[in-house]
Amino acid sequence: MKRWLMEILICPAKECRSELNLEVYKSHEIELEDNQVEEIDEALLTCPKCTRWYPVIEGIACMLPDNLRMTGKQHIEEVKFLERWKERIDSPILENGTPFGLS
Ligand SMILES: [Zn+2]
């Protein structure tokens, strides 16, 4: 995802809609219409209001409702994301994140 997308991204949780915080773990520069823009590959989005976290995996912000994140392939991918970046993710998220952590 492009960094400028942060300007319009909000927490999708019902009755939240807060602005999100971004922590970038991996990104690269690309040239777009003669401008250098930052393409974010891997990052953590966190919501200061409802405390949910959302991953950016392979350039895609995964902002699904909780129930779709708790099972199946999506859940496996998001657990792998937490494991991949656990040295850099705050321990409250790893231990007891919303909607889930690693424990
Ligand atoms: Zn929220």
Side-chain angles (χ1 to χ4, degrees):
M1 66 173 243
K2 309 288 183 293
R3 182 177 276 274
W4 57 257
L5 202 61
M6 282 309 292
E7 291 167 25
I8 56 168
L9 276 188
I10 56 166
C11 179
K14 214 177 176 183
E15 289 162 23
C16 183
R17 312 289 173 189
S18 171
E19 288 183 12
L20 297 166
N21 297 321
L22 173 72
E23 197 169 344
V24 177
Y25 302 138
K26 185 172 168 242
S27 70
H28 64 278
E29 297 278 314
I30 58 166
E31 196 156 305
L32 194 69
E33 293 166 0
D34 292 330
N35 291 307
Q36 291 288 112
V37 297
E38 187 182 8
E39 177 74 32
I40 297 169
D41 300 303
E42 298 265 323
L44 182 68
L45 297 159
T46 51
C47 177
K49 190 171 156 193
C50 73
T51 74
R52 280 185 178 76
W53 62 271
Y54 304 94
V56 177
I57 301 173
E58 292 179 12
I60 295 166
C62 305
M63 302 175 75
L64 294 167
D66 291 354
N67 61 323
L68 297 180
R69 302 177 61 187
M70 300 306 288
T71 56
K73 195 164 170 260
Q74 187 62 32
H75 186 69
I76 293 167
E77 285 304 312
E78 295 195 19
V79 168
K80 274 198 238 164
F81 170 87
L82 290 179
E83 278 169 357
R84 189 152 66 243
W85 300 108
K86 65 183 174 192
E87 307 298 326
R88 298 176 65 178
I89 296 172
D90 288 346
S91 51
I93 290 176
L94 293 175
E95 285 158 22
N96 191 25
T98 310
F100 61 88
L102 276 182
S103 49

